[in-house]
Amino acid sequence: MNTDDVAPEARLLRLFEGHRLTPAQRRIAHCLVQHAGQAAFLSSVEIAELAGVSQPSVTRFAMTLGFDGYPALRKQIRELGLPDSAGRSETGEGAVLSETQRAVRTEIANLQHLAGSLSDMTAIVKAARLLAPSRPLLVLGLRAAAAQAAGWAYFAAKVHPDVRLLNEGGSMLADRIEQAADAGASALLCFALPRYPAELMDGLSAAKKAGLSVVTIADNAFAPSADLSDVALPAPVGTELVFDTACAPMMLGRVLLETMVDEIPGAQARLEAFEQSAASRGLFTD
């Protein structure tokens, strides 16, 4: 694919692909993505403060990516032509937004970022082709991500013949994963959103041990779940309110499910059968 056809944000992420990053370096990479519009103008000291690491860590991060130092990395970021994410208020230059308005604007920016990244559907298609044939198909989400997993599983069950939701941790989680693998499961979809439960990592480890392919939808490409994922699909969460908001991960999940429909034999017929059954049972009111 011509890199000119790829969204600038996606090209920024590609700078980090293929490199084994330490936890501190992942924080730096995540910080650069979060502040993509300003990254080309920030000093290594400013990046260090934003990421909560030392300035030498930023220099080592740049060298890990193959640059002589942070100035060379910053020059490369400038050449990506990233849009200014500072944004201008529709109410006028310098207008003060309320906390809730800022939160909504952040979610809009997150969705715009996701829209840009979807100019390249390669990872989505790969994920769909891993998940669609799995019988049963496991969907994992704990604590903050449990609602995301439950919503996705609800809709997936309309087109996939056997979807199993895993939304509770503990020792039973590994049991259920092993039982599903014995029943023929080949893949698991995981929603990994902050804060990341330790039990989630235990579940992913159990899935890999059982031989399952793992697709993860996480808030960023450097989440702890990435090391245990065959395909990692990032979608940012909003952090402006007391509790995180996750419109972009939800939308990415729906895009993934939409792509899977073409990979599941009989999906359309199964969906039509559900609608007929729902109508005959009067499940929904007008």
Side-chain angles (χ1 to χ4, degrees):
M1 172 180 293
N2 188 331
T3 56
D4 291 338
D5 297 330
V6 180
E9 294 87 350
R11 296 203 296 272
L12 177 59
L13 282 172
R14 287 185 176 181
L15 288 178
F16 314 138
E17 291 178 352
H19 298 280
R20 187 74 173 182
L21 302 178
T22 67
Q25 289 171 342
R26 287 182 180 179
R27 287 201 299 273
I28 296 169
H30 186 206
C31 177
L32 289 173
V33 173
Q34 279 188 312
H35 301 85
Q38 294 83 43
F41 308 99
L42 297 175
S43 68
S44 60
V45 173
E46 290 171 321
I47 289 294
E49 290 178 352
L50 288 170
V53 301
S54 66
Q55 188 276 334
S57 294
V58 177
T59 300
R60 288 193 293 271
F61 168 73
M63 296 179 71
T64 297
L65 300 182
F67 297 95
D68 294 336
Y70 179 72
L73 171 59
R74 184 170 59 182
K75 180 177 183 294
Q76 180 63 45
I77 293 174
R78 287 176 178 172
E79 292 175 355
L80 295 178
L82 297 172
D84 181 1
S85 63
R88 301 303 179 190
S89 169
E90 293 178 1
T91 58
E93 185 78 20
V96 177
L97 299 177
S98 70
E99 180 180 4
T100 51
Q101 286 177 311
R102 288 197 304 272
V104 172
R105 291 290 179 88
T106 296
E107 283 297 78
I108 292 172
N110 287 342
L111 289 169
Q112 290 174 331
H113 176 86
L114 175 62
S117 70
L118 292 177
S119 63
D120 182 358
M121 290 285 289
T122 303
I124 298 287
V125 172
K126 180 180 178 181
R129 290 175 177 172
L130 286 175
L131 298 171
S134 186
R135 305 287 190 278
L137 171 60
L138 299 180
V139 184
L140 172 63
L142 303 180
R143 293 187 179 268
Q148 294 284 336
W152 194 93
Y154 170 79
F155 289 110
K158 296 181 184 297
V159 293
H160 191 285
D162 192 354
V163 178
R164 300 188 187 181
L165 175 64
L166 306 175
N167 58 1
E168 295 182 356
S171 60
M172 289 292 292
L173 178 58
D175 291 350
R176 295 180 66 190
I177 291 172
E178 291 175 357
Q179 291 162 3
D182 289 341
S186 61
L188 175 149
L189 172 63
C190 170
F191 286 85
L193 303 178
R195 301 164 66 187
Y196 314 107
E199 292 172 311
L200 181 74
M201 304 307 296
D202 293 339
L204 293 181
S205 295
K208 297 304 292 183
K209 185 177 180 180
L212 302 183
S213 297
V214 173
V215 174
T216 301
I217 293 178
D219 61 301
N220 70 87
F222 313 101
S225 56
D227 289 340
L228 293 172
S229 302
D230 296 278
V231 181
L233 304 174
V237 300
T239 58
E240 297 291 325
L241 301 177
V242 173
F243 300 110
D244 291 347
T245 51
C247 294
M250 181 186 70
M251 186 65 190
L252 180 55
R254 298 298 190 272
V255 171
L256 173 60
L257 184 55
E258 180 84 7
T259 307
M260 285 175 58
V261 169
D262 293 334
E263 304 291 337
I264 301 174
Q268 190 61 41
R270 192 172 292 109
L271 182 59
E272 292 173 0
F274 170 79
E275 293 298 334
Q276 293 174 2
S277 175
S280 65
R281 289 182 289 156
L283 288 185
F284 306 109
T285 59
D286 293 333

